[in-house]
Amino acid sequence: QVHMVESGGGVVQPGRSLRLSCAASGFSFSDYAMHWVRQAPGKGLEWVALIAFNGKSESYADSVKGRFTISRDNSKNTVYLQMDSLRHEDTAVYYCARVSNVDGDYGDFDYWGQGTLVTVSS
Amino acid sequence: SYELTQPPSVSVSPGQTATITCSGDKLENKYTCWYRQKPGQSPVLVMYQDSKRPSGIPERFSGSNSGNTATLTITETQPIDEADYYCQAWDTSTVFGGGTKLTVL
């Protein structure tokens, strides 16, 4: 069955960097666009970034553009989120999510990881 | 940027019908979907392409999207339905609504 596991979260000081990973299994990873969605403590869901199935296109929320970079390694069934110049407001649980439709960058998310908590604090 | 508006909370008695709305400009021109999230858990897709139920989601859940409003309807609401519900709209970009806390009391 489909399974996605995020890792790499932790406590980091403002201005520092962190790289999140999402390891996927149970489906043909290279066929699907992948997204990162975050949720600040007690708040709602916020879309962060997407990467196309082949890694050739990316898109970012304005709140992270220029600071975060999404990438993927289809040979390792893994998607990454490089987070630089972190701010207090980036504190959140970060989820990776799979788009349900094979041939699109955007869509509904039929599978989510369990999330990894990033805390930006001095 | 495109925005989706949901009521912060909806309350319903067990066995009654819960209606959760999601409003956005010309929302009918976008695809919408809905997620249920219980405390400490990841979101779960409960409706996609406006009105389609994923496998495992009871028939009590239905959806619609017309004009500026998408609606998630839960009939015969049960205590297990108590959760936060989020709408999402997408076409060439994507956005989430602010979420609605459904209380069953």
Side-chain angles (χ1 to χ4, degrees):
Chain A
Q1 70 275 25
V2 173
H3 198 51
M4 299 188 299
V5 178
E6 300 94 337
S7 60
V11 180
V12 61
Q13 293 180 328
R16 304 299 291 264
S17 299
L18 208 59
R19 188 176 87 151
L20 306 182
S21 301
C22 169
S25 61
F27 66 101
S28 182
F29 180 76
S30 59
D31 286 343
Y32 292 85
M34 295 294 294
H35 292 241
W36 286 95
V37 177
R38 69 184 180 182
Q39 186 170 35
K43 302 297 184 182
L45 302 173
E46 179 188 15
W47 175 77
V48 173
L50 87 89
I51 187 164
F53 69 99
N54 57 7
K56 290 185 185 276
S57 66
E58 306 156 25
S59 184
Y60 300 91
D62 288 342
S63 58
V64 307
K65 198 173 296 183
R67 299 187 300 120
F68 289 12
T69 304
I70 189 171
S71 61
R72 66 190 296 160
D73 185 339
N74 285 347
S75 68
K76 296 182 178 179
N77 289 354
T78 301
V79 59
Y80 305 97
L81 187 67
Q82 176 68 39
M83 303 186 296
D84 298 324
S85 303
L86 281 161
R87 306 168 179 168
H88 288 111
E89 55 265 35
D90 295 319
T91 294
V93 173
Y94 285 74
Y95 298 99
C96 62
R98 187 189 87 163
V99 171
S100 66
N101 46 312
V102 172
D103 57 355
D105 288 346
Y106 293 98
D108 48 85
F109 302 139
D110 57 351
Y111 289 97
W112 297 65
Q114 86 290 349
T116 186
L117 176 61
V118 173
T119 302
V120 183
S121 173
S122 51
Chain B
S1 61
Y2 195 80
E3 294 184 359
L4 295 176
T5 301
Q6 297 182 236
S9 63
V10 168
S11 295
V12 65
S13 300
Q16 299 302 303
T17 297
T19 301
I20 302 173
T21 59
C22 174
S23 299
D25 185 47
K26 298 181 177 68
L27 186 55
E28 66 180 355
N29 293 335
K30 300 179 183 290
Y31 290 106
T32 62
C33 58
W34 292 87
Y35 302 92
R36 174 182 63 207
Q37 187 181 35
K38 297 189 177 183
Q41 298 183 15
S42 302
V44 172
L45 184 68
V46 297
M47 197 66 56
Y48 68 100
Q49 290 181 22
D50 300 336
S51 60
K52 297 180 179 179
R53 280 180 294 106
S55 60
I57 301 302
E59 291 183 11
R60 303 185 291 105
F61 286 74
S62 63
S64 65
N65 183 14
S66 179
N68 295 324
T69 304
T71 303
L72 178 70
T73 303
I74 309 172
T75 59
E76 301 175 353
T77 307
Q78 301 176 8
I80 58 168
D81 298 325
E82 190 163 286
D84 293 326
Y85 289 84
Y86 294 91
C87 63
Q88 179 195 5
W90 62 271
D91 48 16
T92 56
S93 63
T94 190
V95 65
F96 289 96
T100 298
K101 182 176 182 60
L102 176 65
T103 301
V104 182
L105 42 66

